[in-house]
Amino acid sequence: MSQALAVAEAPVEPPGKRDGRLRRSYDRNWYAWAMVLPTVLVLGVLVMYPLVQGILQSFTDLTESNAQDVICTKTLGGGEECKDNPKSSEFVGLKNYVDLLTGARGSFWLQFTNTLVWTLACVSLHYGLGLGLAVMLNRTMRGRGLYRVLLIVPWAVPGFVAAFGWKFLFNPRFGLINQGLISVGLDPVEWFNHRWTALFTAICTNVWLGVPFMMVAILGGLQSINGDLYEAAEMDGASPWQRFRNITLPGLRPVSSTVILLGTIWTFNMFPIIFFVTGGEPAGQSEILVTGAYRAAFEGVRNYSLAATYGVLILSILLVFASVYRRTLKAQGEVF
């Protein structure tokens, strides 16, 4: 009670005094602000300006056929070539969002479902396999350094190279996977003729690429856990599973929360694997949101406003996820 009264009776600094303290901080740390300023300007030009431009375009009907302001006025200089040019884009409000969410343009909900399945499967397998490999490599064993190097190799392979390699492995006629199925008496699988088998091929490719990152990050977290905790638990008679559950997993929470969030964002926006491995086959049923945005912007009559709408929705979904994820960690006592 006395503490509450003391807080209530504590003097509140007037605005002028707070402004003076802020100004003194600027004067004292001007060099830090000067070093940060170029980065802020670059990010503003490269990130914030395109972001604002994309949001504004999502409220128009901008396409390749009516981009007069961009193609005609800015590129051709507004000369004779512009007289017969179609009219410029117009403001349409929320029409793009309504059309996209109601299925009038594109297959948003199919792509959204595929994106959720793709992200959940990849991140779960990334973390589970990465955790298992990290626990194995954290132990003393012969050839541990060699195993670490070999397991990091997939991370060093460019994504599009890995995509082409795995696409060949799953080739229905010449792929090694179907040849292996035939050799054990099973029928070959037309991997890219069905929605879920096509997604399975992309998930396998992305897991092969993403596990090394998770393994390295978790291995670093394991090595930061105090070994005395394991010795004390072993002396108390704790089983390996009890030590893993009560020491390893809690000790990995800071690392796990970060890599899961990053992995979710990266996988949600993982364009090259879906595009190069499945190509959206069959008939666009294995598309995810980012590939849908790409096809809207660069295939057929380029619909820039629809692609911008995709981008705004993708950003909104990730912001909601990050906010909920942060609140969940905060409720569990984690600082994020």
Side-chain angles (χ1 to χ4, degrees):
M1 185 68 178
S2 59
Q3 281 185 337
L5 290 175
V7 171
E9 294 175 357
V12 179
E13 294 184 357
K17 187 174 182 179
R18 289 198 298 268
D19 294 342
R21 291 178 59 184
L22 186 61
R23 189 178 300 108
R24 287 195 300 272
S25 175
Y26 288 152
D27 295 338
R28 186 168 56 251
N29 302 315
W30 64 269
Y31 54 89
W33 291 101
M35 287 187 288
V36 169
L37 183 60
T39 303
V40 174
L41 293 176
V42 171
L43 288 176
V45 173
L46 298 181
V47 178
M48 295 307 299
Y49 175 75
L51 176 61
V52 173
Q53 189 73 11
I55 294 174
L56 294 177
Q57 287 181 359
S58 69
F59 296 106
T60 67
D61 61 350
L62 181 65
T63 64
E64 185 179 22
S65 62
N66 65 9
Q68 180 178 359
D69 293 338
V70 177
I71 297 175
C72 184
T73 305
K74 295 182 180 179
T75 305
L76 301 177
E80 294 295 329
E81 301 89 343
C82 296
K83 291 184 178 179
D84 298 328
N85 202 65
K87 66 176 183 178
S88 61
S89 60
E90 296 179 352
F91 179 80
V92 295
L94 297 175
K95 184 178 184 301
N96 290 321
Y97 294 92
V98 174
D99 289 347
L100 191 59
L101 294 176
T102 56
R105 297 166 71 179
S107 304
F108 177 84
W109 293 111
L110 173 65
Q111 296 163 359
F112 178 72
T113 304
N114 289 344
T115 304
L116 291 183
V117 173
W118 152 262
T119 304
L120 181 62
C122 288
V123 174
S124 300
L125 291 171
H126 284 167
Y127 186 80
L129 294 175
L131 176 61
L133 291 173
V135 171
M136 292 175 58
L137 293 178
N138 195 42
R139 300 176 179 178
T140 302
M141 65 174 69
R142 183 175 300 176
R144 182 172 63 174
L146 177 62
Y147 296 145
R148 289 183 178 181
V149 172
L150 292 177
L151 289 171
I152 293 176
V153 166
W155 197 14
V157 177
F160 70 93
V161 175
F164 288 138
W166 279 88
K167 187 177 180 66
F168 175 77
L169 290 176
F170 282 105
N171 186 281
R173 295 183 59 189
F174 310 108
L176 296 180
I177 294 178
N178 271 355
Q179 295 300 320
L181 293 177
I182 294 172
S183 66
V184 297
L186 298 177
D187 295 330
V189 178
E190 296 290 337
W191 296 102
F192 302 108
N193 286 356
H194 306 281
R195 174 189 178 190
W196 296 115
T197 55
L199 279 174
F200 174 77
T201 63
I203 290 171
C204 289
T205 306
N206 196 47
V207 168
W208 185 80
L209 281 170
V211 163
F213 167 76
M214 285 287 185
M215 181 194 69
V216 170
I218 295 173
L219 184 59
L222 287 174
Q223 294 177 349
S224 67
I225 299 176
N226 191 347
D228 295 339
L229 298 175
Y230 292 101
E231 295 180 4
E234 189 174 1
M235 293 178 61
D236 291 339
S239 65
W241 168 247
Q242 289 175 328
R243 295 197 297 269
F244 177 78
R245 185 183 62 184
N246 297 303
I247 299 177
T248 302
L249 290 181
L252 287 175
R253 279 180 184 171
V255 174
S256 298
S257 60
T258 302
V259 296
I260 289 175
L261 178 61
L262 291 176
T264 300
I265 295 173
W266 291 341
T267 306
F268 199 94
N269 290 320
M270 182 62 70
F271 169 80
I273 303 303
I274 294 290
F275 187 78
F276 290 122
V277 175
T278 72
E281 297 179 5
Q285 293 187 33
S286 62
E287 298 276 4
I288 61 175
L289 291 177
V290 290
T291 58
Y294 170 83
R295 297 192 188 280
F298 297 106
E299 292 186 356
V301 177
R302 300 178 179 182
N303 195 328
Y304 304 122
S305 61
L306 183 61
T309 306
Y310 265 107
V312 173
L313 290 175
I314 290 171
L315 176 62
S316 302
I317 293 170
L318 290 175
L319 287 176
V320 170
F321 167 76
S323 177
V324 173
Y325 188 73
R326 180 179 178 277
R327 288 178 179 271
T328 303
L329 292 179
K330 188 176 181 181
Q332 295 176 354
E334 297 289 336
V335 178
F336 184 76

